Amino acid sequence: MNAALQAIPQIASPPDSRALRTALGQFATGITVVTTRAADCAFVGLTVNSFSALSLEPALILWSLRGSSPSLPVFENAERFVVNVLAEAQVETSRRFALPLADKFDGVAHAENAWGQPLIHGAAAWFECRTVSRQIAGDHCLFIAAVERFTLSDAAPLLFHAGGYFALGSRL
């Protein structure tokens, strides 16, 4: 048996959170704005890069939201939401939905889907979802959702890496 596999696990001290954040930033992600409608009918949305595909059969996605986010109660109570995958031209939309503004949708072109959820115009893709589970994991709430409908456009996605925005490069 390989000596590395026989090694006794050592208890590690917690990693330095800033260094960990920097290392995690080496993983390039797409940028989404997750949107929903609150109980008072107001639109709610926030910039998220923790979005991921989970399963094709059944069609499931996941994303997470910081436990201290003021939007958490809205998403915990929302049956449905939309993941708007931002396009390269939507850097300002990403920045706007990352701010604590009273009306993040002001000046942002959008429409409502069949369930009254906001779809942001110009996105590279939209995933219209129904929440199937929520789970607290560390300092975040993990949302797993069924994809009920999706749409994609020809727009190239907006990327995020090492604290900055990037455009899609050449196919290798």
Side-chain angles (χ1 to χ4, degrees), residues 67-90:
S68 61
S69 170
S71 299
L72 182 59
V74 173
F75 283 98
E76 285 179 320
N77 292 310
E79 179 182 356
R80 290 189 165 83
F81 59 86
V82 176
V83 177
N84 300 270
V85 177
L86 297 188
E88 287 178 350
Q90 294 180 301

Side-chain angles (χ1 to χ4, degrees), residues 43-171:
F43 287 157
V44 176
L46 50 104
T47 301
V48 171
N49 73 339
S50 63
F51 168 75
S52 180
L54 179 60
S55 171
L56 293 175
E57 298 285 335
L60 299 172
I61 59 93
L62 64 84
W63 66 284
S64 65
L65 180 56
R66 188 179 74 250
S68 61
S69 170
S71 299
L72 182 59
V74 173
F75 283 98
E76 285 179 320
N77 292 310
E79 179 182 356
R80 290 189 165 83
F81 59 86
V82 176
V83 177
N84 300 270
V85 177
L86 297 188
E88 287 178 350
Q90 294 180 301
V91 171
E92 290 310 313
T93 300
S94 173
R95 289 184 174 134
R96 178 172 189 80
F97 280 85
L99 295 172
L101 302 172
D103 183 3
K104 296 179 184 185
F105 290 86
D106 184 37
V108 176
H110 61 281
E112 291 181 37
N113 69 6
W115 294 284
Q117 305 297 313
L119 298 162
I120 297 176
H121 289 193
W126 300 265
F127 296 93
E128 299 171 64
C129 302
R130 180 182 42 79
T131 302
V132 295
S133 76
R134 290 178 286 284
Q135 172 182 329
I136 300 301
D139 60 358
H140 278 64
C141 181
L142 177 66
F143 292 84
I144 296 176
V147 177
E148 296 185 314
R149 295 192 321 188
F150 68 93
T151 308
L152 65 146
S153 73
D154 292 332
L158 178 61
L159 302 178
F160 196 75
H161 174 260
Y165 294 99
F166 288 84
L168 191 62
S170 302
R171 183 178 292 264

